[in-house]
Amino acid sequence: MMKLLNLFIAASIPVLKVLLITALGSYLALPRIHILGQDARKHLNEVVFYVFNPALVSSNLAETITYDNMVKMWFMPLNILLTFVVGSLLGWIVIQLTNPPSHLRGLILGCCSAGNLGNIFLIIIPAVCKEKGTPFEASEDCTTYGMAYASLSMATGAIFLWSYVYNIVRISSRSSTTEPRFIDLPISSRCSEGSAVEEPLIQNQPLDDSSKKLLVLEEDADSCSPPCIRTQLRPKVPTAVRIGAFVKSLNLKSLFAPSTIGAIAGFAIGLIPQIRNLMIGTDAPLRLIDDSAALLGNGAIPTVTLIIGGNLLKGLRGSELKKSIVISIVLARYIVLPLTGILIVRGAVKFGLVESDPLYMFVLLLQFAVPPAMNIGTITQLFGAGETECSVIMLWTYVLASVSLTFWSTLFMWLVA
């Protein structure tokens, strides 16, 4: 019982750190303080997107990733891919059950699939390595290897986030602004000439007499023009054409978002010995570049956490978001995903895909239990769609994360001990 209590205390410390910084961000965003107002958060988001996040990803990868580490951690990118696949499936189920507006579907899929795979780990891993009573305290290299795991998790998560979630939020935000195309047809011409094709508002099939749904405009009392039929034209589009249009609509430039470019640079520096010797180490001739990137990257975690605290304040004011959507996302992220993660990781260990390293297994398990990625808020602000709803979702998921993360971290450490 005492060992379990020690694990619980060790798991709660990093979560409390995140909550304290988040609370400070909410305080700074109060109207009477107005340091982190809406405009300030928007500008800070752009700085984080273009400067802090790429510097953080590249510097951490360059310093901690080596060829030997990559061979050992080959399963981690696959594990993260599985979190996105399972999360997307759960998000699709949430959409089917709650029937949200079209502009929120990408947000729901993103919140269910994309977890906070970077900032949370950079806070939790060093904390659990320092705490007594954890399965990792006996390892002298706990922090070093832990930062390597956290860096690879952050880099891989950033690639999936900006290539997948960015595009689905962008597409759903655009679809909400697309209005159906209507035409007005006079009744007399339709009946006499038979040139108008009657089509339903939803299906692409002719209407029978019992289910006609035509919007008839009343004839103006002072006008001699006949009444009109307003109908929606939706020509049938071949499936191949639809698939081609969807692929063309994908913003492939987002694959090379600043964070992705930072990840590529970090991998190149860490894995190529000649470049690594030039930039990494106390005697490296170009160590100034890495030190500068690390200095910028250190500002990413507190800045993003402060921004999310300011955004949570907007969530406190409420919105028209259905409670069932928030509850479903919480159940998906904090119950179904972690249970699925236990099955996947323990199965990988059983079949020899993952070494029985307690810290490595802990990180793999924790990737299924973290709250939604903070950068989802940045994405919604970039497109100006679902910002308030995202704030509400982030509010409740991060408030409940204090309980969920503590519980799952304690359980995971007990499982890998």
Side-chain angles (χ1 to χ4, degrees), residues 253-307:
K253 291 182 180 179
S254 65
L255 290 173
F256 297 96
S259 294
T260 308
I261 296 174
I264 295 172
F267 279 122
I269 296 172
L271 297 177
I272 301 176
Q274 292 80 1
I275 303 179
R276 184 181 182 87
N277 294 334
L278 285 175
M279 300 184 63
I280 307 300
T282 55
D283 298 329
L286 299 180
R287 62 184 181 277
L288 178 64
I289 298 176
D290 178 66
D291 292 342
S292 300
L295 185 62
L296 284 173
N298 289 336
I301 299 174
T303 304
V304 172
T305 311
L306 288 173
I307 292 173

Side-chain angles (χ1 to χ4, degrees), residues 13-55:
I13 294 299
V15 177
L16 291 176
K17 290 181 181 179
V18 175
L19 287 179
L20 284 175
I21 301 176
T22 303
L24 177 60
S26 298
Y27 173 76
L28 295 177
L30 289 172
R32 60 189 179 88
I33 305 298
H34 202 61
I35 294 178
L36 272 182
Q38 183 174 358
D39 291 338
R41 294 197 303 273
K42 181 177 180 180
H43 294 317
L44 271 181
N45 262 324
E46 293 179 352
V47 175
V48 170
F49 177 68
Y50 288 106
V51 181
F52 287 169
N53 270 346

Side-chain angles (χ1 to χ4, degrees), residues 13 197 208:
I13 294 299
V197 179
D208 53 24

Side-chain angles (χ1 to χ4, degrees), residues 100-230:
S102 59
H103 71 283
L104 295 181
R105 294 178 180 179
L107 173 62
I108 293 173
L109 283 173
C111 289
C112 289
S113 60
N116 191 331
L117 299 174
N119 302 340
I120 289 288
F121 288 89
L122 293 175
I123 297 174
I124 290 180
I125 299 302
V128 296
C129 286
K130 295 176 183 178
E131 291 297 322
K132 295 181 179 180
T134 67
F136 325 119
E137 62 178 341
S139 174
E140 298 179 356
D141 299 326
C142 177
T143 302
T144 302
Y145 283 107
M147 291 303 293
Y149 301 152
S151 300
L152 181 59
S153 175
M154 177 174 55
T156 309
I159 293 173
F160 285 126
L161 176 72
W162 293 105
S163 60
Y164 173 64
V165 177
Y166 177 91
N167 275 302
I168 61 174
V169 173
R170 180 183 63 85
I171 293 172
S172 65
S173 64
R174 286 187 177 182
S175 64
S176 64
T177 61
T178 304
E179 298 293 336
R181 186 168 60 93
F182 291 96
I183 63 170
D184 292 340
L185 300 175
I187 289 180
S188 58
S189 64
R190 182 187 65 83
C191 296
S192 60
E193 300 177 7
S195 58
V197 179
E198 297 174 356
E199 293 190 69
L201 296 180
I202 299 177
Q203 300 177 350
N204 289 322
Q205 298 177 355
L207 293 173
D208 53 24
D209 294 334
S210 62
S211 61
K212 288 183 180 179
K213 297 180 180 180
L214 301 176
L215 302 177
V216 180
L217 306 180
E218 294 183 0
E219 182 179 5
D220 193 295
D222 297 329
S223 174
C224 296
S225 61
C228 295
I229 297 172
R230 199 180 188 202

Side-chain angles (χ1 to χ4, degrees), residues 377-417:
T378 302
I379 294 173
T380 58
Q381 286 185 335
L382 289 174
F383 293 111
E387 294 178 66
T388 304
E389 292 82 357
C390 181
S391 299
V392 175
I393 294 173
M394 291 294 177
L395 169 66
W396 289 108
T397 52
Y398 273 83
V399 167
L400 295 175
S402 59
V403 178
S404 173
L405 264 181
T406 302
F407 169 77
W408 286 113
S409 297
T410 305
L411 179 62
F412 293 158
M413 283 190 284
W414 178 76
L415 288 175
V416 303

